Amino acid sequence: MSKRTFRVWRGDAEGGRFVEYNVEVGPGMVILDALHRIQAEQSPDLAVRWNCKAGKCGSCSMEVNGKPRLSCMTRISDYEPEQIITVQPLKTFPIIRDLVTDVSWNFEQNKRIPPFRPKAPGPDGKLRMWQEDVDRIQEFRKCIECFLCQDVCHVLRDHEKKQNFVGPRFIMRIASLEMHPLDTVDRIPQTLREFGSGWCNITRCCTEVCPEHINITDNAIIPTKERVVDRFYDPVAMLTRKIRGEDPARAREEGKVP
Amino acid sequence: MVDVREIKTVEHDVLIIGAGGAGLRAAIECSNAGLDTAVLTKSLLGKAHTVMAEGGMAAAMGNVDPRDNWKVHFRDTMRGGKFLNQWRMAELHAKQAPDRVRELEEWGAVFDRTPDGLINQRNFGGHRFPRLAHVGDRTGLELIRTLQDHAVHKGRLQVYMECKALRLLKDGDRMAGCVAVWRETGRFLIVRAKAVIMATGGGGRAWRVTSNSWEYSGDGLTMAYDAGAELMDVEFTQFHPTGMVWPPSVRGTLVTEGVRGEGGILKNNKGERFMFRYIPERFAPETADTEEEAARWLAGDKNARRPPELLTRDVVARAIKAEVEAGRGSPHGGAFLDIASQRTAEDIKRKLPSMYHQFKELAELDITKEPMEVGPTLHYFMGGIRVDPDTQASTTVPGLFACGEAAAGLHGANRLGGNSLSDLIVFGRLAGLGAADYIKGVSELPALDEDQVRDAIRWATSFLNRESGENPYVIHEDLQELMQTKVGIIRNATELSQALEGIAELRKRAENAKAHAASQYNPGWHEAMDLHSLLTTAEAVARAALTREESRGAHTREDFEGEREEWGKVNIVLRKLDDGSMEVRKLERDEPPEELAKIAFATIEDLEAGRV
């Protein structure tokens, strides 16, 4: 056991400050353990959101030394012994209290995405999908909705374009539906016009912070942007449509676009 | 004096407390029935304990082994539960689980596939055939996300996030809603409803070593009990055999049974594969007795019997404890769980990705190269609110329903892995249907009794208002230590009595706990309020455990070894008496329907040959 110093942000929407705590640290301890120890021994009212403490629920997201992290999966021993560890709430979302932010905006975005609507089953009454066809969406479905990718996304974090862009989490959610072998809904026009896929300029910060190691940028965002581009910005297709007076979204619905 | 009219009040047809798999499945069914539905969750949506379920959900679809069918699943469930399950619930579960799993696929779930494109199924402890629909080792996440994404597009379904139910409200004998508190603001909320469905899970946080999240404080069981509901089978607390044991900060964190389902073996510090020495008589005819046969089973030989590592959880947990106590444990007091020698690194990473990461990141151990150290961890409550098998209605309180881990009956004395996720979707749906049916007979919203509201709020705010008092975290830690040492895997009358005395002492301390600072997002305040639930749940377990003088399933009494015939005929039921004390009674079990008894007691050969 040894003592370590933590600087923890305390406050609410009105403002706050960093408070220093000295905590006994044992082998294998993670940041969330230290916060629990502070609650039990020094400040029982320290607000922390957490559930599973096993990296599976995505509740305990916060910023540790400036980096978005799951506090339950961040080992204290990863930091130099003399280093002070600074813990603060996610920057992109409004503060409720101490380390807890209001992430309800994310839940609102999810509701906007048209839900899954499956094909009819095959002649034997069964739905069939092949493993190689679902591998890529299973990667997206590993998402635990910790919203670290949303926190680090420049469009949301620095430019505050929440009204324009749903963020990497939900572009990936759209990708998981669009690439679902059984899905029948077309979300591509909305992805461009309402969900703001064009705002992402592929800095890959979302991929870097993902605790599930999902390759959000290369596997979800870029292919989704490509689908948008193919539909709306392919010059040959655009010219053809102009001559024929077609609306791409309607064309898709009528089955003219594969 | 609290002015009740100043508290925000909302009205719904049905109130569901808890947003895990059972709560969300119930909510979807209520919405389908056209009911105005409220879901209260003390966490954010999609974070419930269900996300931690790893291995899969059991359903006899027969996609991998066509010999599987509901009868075999039913028989496995009854045998796993040591014949103390409610016959009708085990029947409904085995029959309906396949449709519920397929329905998830229609709602967007993406399970792992068989070579011919169907839902893949894996082996698990106590299941005769590969039966668990799964997604790697994150099946619970797939379940909850599927239900969540489906539910948010349902009509007249409102989710109240981070809103904690404090107390159920009654109009005479029947349910009328609940008083709740928003975590964010500390403000109270009254939810009036015609029916209430408890989908609140169990109470593992009363123990020190547990796989359960903070939510598992037994508050659903306690609220129902305080409102007059009966609890049943609560002496049966499942210790999952494989929790992490090192480092200390993650002691108890779950290691999926899928590791053993994929071929993982258990060894002691002498390198012996000790499970061969712990095969119970009842399971001997269906369990491999040599390493050679177990290896053939893993290679896919359908004539080989299952390895003993896949015996039921109660058996494996006790075996590990016995090895450790005999001095043959791993360095940190567990057993070695080895998958590295059984599967390729690539297979392990594909089938058990979150286990790979969990050990890599939390224990600096590469499970594709080295064995894990594992030991028992409090995982699941087989017992809970006593309900009618078909409607999930409480046996005593009209308008109260329960489903999932909060309800008793399906699992008897021991739950099979994989039967929990299927339990959630089968009985979540039935609870929704049951509530919808009940509501047809309730024309007006039940009356609101302001005194009950005032009483609940007075109690809740007392922790904030008192001048001084004890730190609730310390009381909780003392309870965890008490339950860990006195109400563990192996129990006896002396220790259980000591536990009850200890709980009574802790109760006095809990009543005088003090929460500092204001009510806005104050975890210390919630911890103080949770103590009542934790202590009530702990007392219920200890009392029932002291009463059951035999060893059966997850309940082991060193002073009463082995199953006793007379105890196989009763379930233990608890109820709160008017004076506030806990009544314990033995409830005579109904004779099983002849058809079901035949299936349950058939030999596997007769069942497979279609002679039953």
Side-chain angles (χ1 to χ4, degrees):
Chain A
M1 295 291 248
S2 61
K3 285 253 184 195
R4 284 201 74 141
T5 305
F6 292 80
R7 283 174 76 233
V8 180
W9 197 89
R10 305 286 319 257
D12 56 26
E14 307 291 306
R17 63 194 174 90
F18 284 98
V19 178
E20 281 200 1
Y21 295 96
N22 289 313
V23 181
E24 284 279 352
V25 172
M29 267 174 68
V30 293
I31 300 291
L32 185 58
D33 288 314
L35 298 172
H36 283 164
R37 212 156 259 192
I38 292 168
Q39 285 180 328
E41 293 165 5
Q42 303 181 49
S43 290
D45 66 320
L46 172 65
V48 183
R49 184 186 276 133
W50 70 285
N51 269 30
C52 76
K53 201 177 171 288
K56 294 191 168 65
C57 77
S59 298
C60 64
S61 303
M62 52 189 73
E63 297 187 5
V64 183
N65 283 2
K67 291 237 163 66
R69 309 282 315 208
L70 285 184
S71 61
C72 72
M73 295 299 279
T74 305
R75 285 165 67 108
I76 294 167
S77 57
D78 290 348
Y79 299 87
E80 293 299 320
E82 297 308 315
Q83 197 178 1
I84 291 176
I85 298 176
T86 302
V87 188
Q88 60 197 101
L90 299 179
K91 180 185 171 229
T92 301
F93 301 104
I95 286 175
I96 292 175
R97 195 160 167 262
D98 301 340
L99 299 171
V100 178
T101 54
D102 178 0
V103 293
S104 57
W105 176 81
N106 294 289
F107 292 87
E108 295 308 314
Q109 303 320 300
N110 192 32
K111 284 187 199 165
R112 295 170 60 199
I113 299 170
F116 176 72
R117 202 169 63 213
K119 285 177 190 158
D124 60 354
K126 290 177 176 172
L127 290 169
R128 281 194 157 76
M129 295 189 276
W130 276 263
Q131 188 61 47
E132 54 270 32
D133 293 338
V134 297
D135 277 342
R136 59 180 180 173
I137 59 170
Q138 283 189 329
E139 183 191 8
F140 309 151
R141 294 182 68 87
K142 276 161 51 182
C143 171
I144 56 174
E145 296 203 327
C146 63
F147 307 128
L148 292 180
C149 60
Q150 304 286 80
D151 181 54
V152 82
C153 171
H154 308 274
V155 183
L156 306 176
R157 185 183 180 100
D158 303 321
H159 304 291
E160 299 187 8
K161 295 287 184 196
K162 289 203 188 78
Q163 71 282 15
N164 300 106
F165 182 46
V166 294
R169 160 61 191 136
F170 296 104
I171 296 294
M172 186 170 80
R173 164 99 182 110
I174 292 164
S176 76
L177 289 162
E178 286 295 304
M179 298 180 195
H180 194 304
L182 300 177
D183 182 62
T184 58
V185 181
D186 177 15
R187 300 168 191 81
I188 295 300
Q190 263 180 300
T191 302
L192 172 68
R193 294 181 189 134
E194 295 170 31
F195 303 140
S197 59
W199 281 92
C200 166
N201 56 357
I202 317 185
T203 55
R204 296 176 199 278
C205 304
C206 51
T207 301
E208 271 173 37
V209 299
C210 178
E212 288 294 304
H213 312 289
I214 303 171
N215 198 334
I216 305 172
T217 313
D218 290 339
N219 294 351
I221 296 182
I222 291 177
T224 305
K225 284 166 89 69
E226 281 172 355
R227 286 179 184 218
V228 170
V229 167
D230 284 350
R231 185 81 64 83
F232 294 100
Y233 300 107
D234 175 9
V236 179
M238 277 168 85
L239 189 65
T240 318
R241 278 198 301 269
K242 201 156 194 175
I243 294 164
R244 294 187 181 165
E246 285 172 349
D247 173 21
R250 199 170 57 233
R252 163 92 179 218
E253 273 160 28
E254 290 166 359
K256 287 179 192 159
V257 179
Chain B
M1 188 75 171
V2 180
D3 186 350
V4 173
R5 281 160 304 177
E6 286 188 0
I7 299 168
K8 185 173 165 60
T9 302
V10 294
E11 297 177 357
H12 295 274
D13 290 326
V14 59
L15 162 66
I16 295 157
I17 304 179
L24 288 175
R25 187 60 190 81
I28 289 167
E29 207 57 33
C30 290
S31 172
N32 287 347
L35 300 180
D36 179 357
T37 306
V39 179
L40 240 66
T41 162
K42 46 184 191 176
S43 300
L44 297 173
L45 185 57
K47 310 298 184 195
H49 202 58
T50 305
V51 296
M52 297 178 73
E54 292 164 352
M57 59 188 91
M61 297 188 287
N63 289 352
V64 172
D65 193 323
R67 291 176 295 177
D68 201 12
N69 58 56
W70 80 265
K71 291 178 184 174
V72 189
H73 190 184
F74 168 79
R75 178 181 181 269
D76 289 345
T77 301
M78 292 301 300
R79 285 161 58 87
K82 319 299 167 195
F83 300 97
L84 217 61
N85 329 49
Q86 297 301 301
W87 295 85
R88 175 66 176 154
M89 283 179 80
E91 179 195 7
L92 286 168
H93 170 253
K95 282 181 172 169
Q96 297 185 2
D99 280 346
R100 297 287 78 74
V101 173
R102 285 188 282 261
E103 175 180 76
L104 290 173
E105 186 159 78
E106 289 163 22
W107 295 347
V110 185
F111 293 103
D112 287 355
R113 317 307 297 177
T114 63
D116 55 347
L118 298 174
I119 295 171
N120 197 4
Q121 300 186 270
R122 72 156 44 118
N123 281 298
F124 234 57
H127 292 281
R128 171 81 183 160
F129 297 118
R131 187 177 284 148
L132 269 67
H134 61 277
V135 188
D137 54 4
R138 55 161 189 84
T139 316
L141 175 66
E142 188 70 17
L143 172 64
I144 203 154
R145 199 67 80 230
T146 301
L147 293 174
Q148 173 187 348
D149 288 338
H150 191 71
V152 296
H153 294 287
K154 284 275 159 196
R156 304 181 83 201
L157 194 163
Q158 190 168 352
V159 180
Y160 296 82
M161 289 202 295
E162 297 200 317
C163 188
K164 174 189 158 88
L166 294 178
R167 198 172 291 189
L168 295 176
L169 296 172
K170 288 170 84 177
D171 171 16
D173 285 338
R174 62 181 181 158
M175 267 300 109
C178 82
V179 182
V181 61
W182 294 101
R183 288 177 70 83
E184 176 177 345
T185 58
R187 292 212 179 96
F188 295 98
L189 175 75
I190 298 169
V191 187
R192 295 180 62 186
K194 295 171 182 170
V196 178
I197 300 175
M198 302 304 273
T200 44
R205 292 303 292 188
W207 282 260
R208 181 162 48 75
V209 179
T210 174
S211 65
N212 288 179
S213 77
W214 72 272
E215 298 187 295
Y216 269 41
S217 54
D219 45 1
L221 304 188
T222 302
M223 278 187 276
Y225 166 83
D226 283 340
E230 292 178 319
L231 304 181
M232 186 172 78
D233 294 342
V234 285
E235 67 274 30
F236 300 111
T237 52
Q238 180 166 78
F239 291 86
H240 194 294
T242 60
M244 292 175 78
V245 297
W246 185 260
S249 74
V250 293
R251 190 163 191 134
T253 299
L254 187 64
V255 179
T256 176
E257 188 165 324
V259 177
R260 284 169 288 140
E262 296 296 335
I265 58 172
L266 288 163
K267 287 183 172 174
N268 62 20
N269 66 14
K270 300 195 175 333
E272 296 162 337
R273 199 167 160 186
F274 58 84
M275 279 311 300
F276 285 104
R277 287 190 272 110
Y278 293 91
I279 303 169
E281 209 175 311
R282 182 182 283 156
F283 290 90
E286 295 166 31
T287 308
D289 50 13
T290 62
E291 291 199 29
E292 178 273 327
E293 185 178 2
R296 275 194 289 121
W297 177 87
L298 185 61
D301 179 351
K302 291 196 170 172
N303 294 316
R305 294 172 297 176
R306 311 159 56 75
E309 278 84 3
L310 287 175
L311 285 161
T312 55
R313 289 176 175 177
D314 52 331
V315 175
V316 183
R318 276 194 301 270
I320 293 175
K321 185 175 161 71
E323 287 296 308
V324 173
E325 281 176 3
R328 296 190 290 270
S330 67
H332 302 102
F336 292 108
L337 174 60
D338 173 25
I339 182 85
S341 68
Q342 304 292 308
R343 291 275 189 189
T344 64
E346 191 191 337
D347 272 356
I348 295 167
K349 286 185 199 169
R350 192 168 50 84
K351 295 304 269 183
L352 303 162
S354 73
M355 285 305 105
Y356 174 73
H357 286 297
Q358 184 172 310
F359 275 90
K360 194 102 186 154
E361 283 165 33
L362 295 174
E364 291 175 30
L365 185 126
D366 183 347
I367 67 167
T368 68
K369 297 198 174 85
E370 294 170 84
M372 297 158 252
E373 272 189 79
V374 294
T377 179
L378 195 286
H379 184 56
Y380 188 86
F381 272 40
M382 269 67 74
I385 300 163
R386 185 175 167 228
V387 293
D388 170 72
D390 289 87
T391 62
Q392 299 286 291
S394 155
T395 43
T396 49
V397 184
L400 182 65
F401 298 78
C403 53
E405 190 174 350
L410 170 60
H411 308 293
N414 175 60
R415 174 175 71 82
L416 298 185
N419 270 2
S420 176
L421 291 187
S422 43
D423 172 2
L424 307 182
I425 47 179
V426 167
F427 292 103
R429 173 173 166 274
L430 291 179
L433 290 171
D437 199 47
Y438 167 82
I439 285 171
K440 283 184 196 151
V442 186
S443 52
E444 304 229 322
L445 213 52
L448 180 68
D449 178 350
E450 295 194 356
D451 283 342
Q452 291 177 32
V453 177
R454 268 190 288 271
D455 193 51
I457 291 176
R458 214 173 5 240
W459 171 78
T461 48
S462 68
F463 301 105
L464 293 165
N465 292 342
R466 68 175 49 102
E467 289 286 302
S468 63
E470 200 177 346
N471 179 348
Y473 291 93
V474 175
I475 303 172
H476 188 177
E477 277 170 25
D478 289 353
L479 172 66
Q480 290 181 317
E481 195 56 36
L482 182 73
M483 295 303 279
Q484 194 69 33
T485 51
K486 307 289 185 194
V487 193
I489 303 184
I490 312 288
R491 301 162 175 177
N492 64 53
T494 313
E495 289 182 351
L496 290 168
S497 303
Q498 288 167 350
L500 285 167
E501 286 165 26
I503 290 165
E505 283 299 311
L506 289 167
R507 240 183 223 290
K508 286 183 207 151
R509 288 167 57 191
E511 281 162 19
N512 291 307
K514 163 73 184 158
H516 289 275
S519 61
Q520 289 85 8
Y521 219 109
N522 183 346
W525 182 34
H526 288 266
E527 176 84 331
M529 291 190 282
D530 284 345
L531 289 173
H532 169 64
S533 307
L534 286 161
L535 286 161
T536 305
T537 310
E539 182 185 340
V541 173
R543 278 199 195 285
L546 183 60
T547 307
R548 183 170 286 278
E549 296 182 328
E550 66 159 349
S551 297
R552 181 184 297 267
H555 171 68
T556 305
R557 287 282 300 263
E558 60 189 0
D559 45 353
F560 295 95
E561 286 178 0
E563 289 177 19
R564 312 280 167 112
E565 204 186 332
E566 66 273 22
W567 281 103
K569 294 177 183 159
V570 292
N571 294 95
I572 294 175
V573 172
L574 307 168
R575 190 173 180 177
K576 189 174 184 174
L577 296 178
D578 288 340
D579 65 0
S581 64
M582 197 176 271
E583 179 200 63
V584 185
R585 75 189 157 96
K586 298 180 205 167
L587 178 74
E588 205 71 35
R589 289 171 57 80
D590 292 334
E591 282 297 318
E594 203 180 326
E595 272 307 295
L596 294 182
K598 266 191 208 160
I599 297 167
F601 296 116
T603 65
I604 193 68
E605 290 78 16
D606 282 349
L607 197 58
E608 278 173 23
R611 289 190 287 267
V612 179

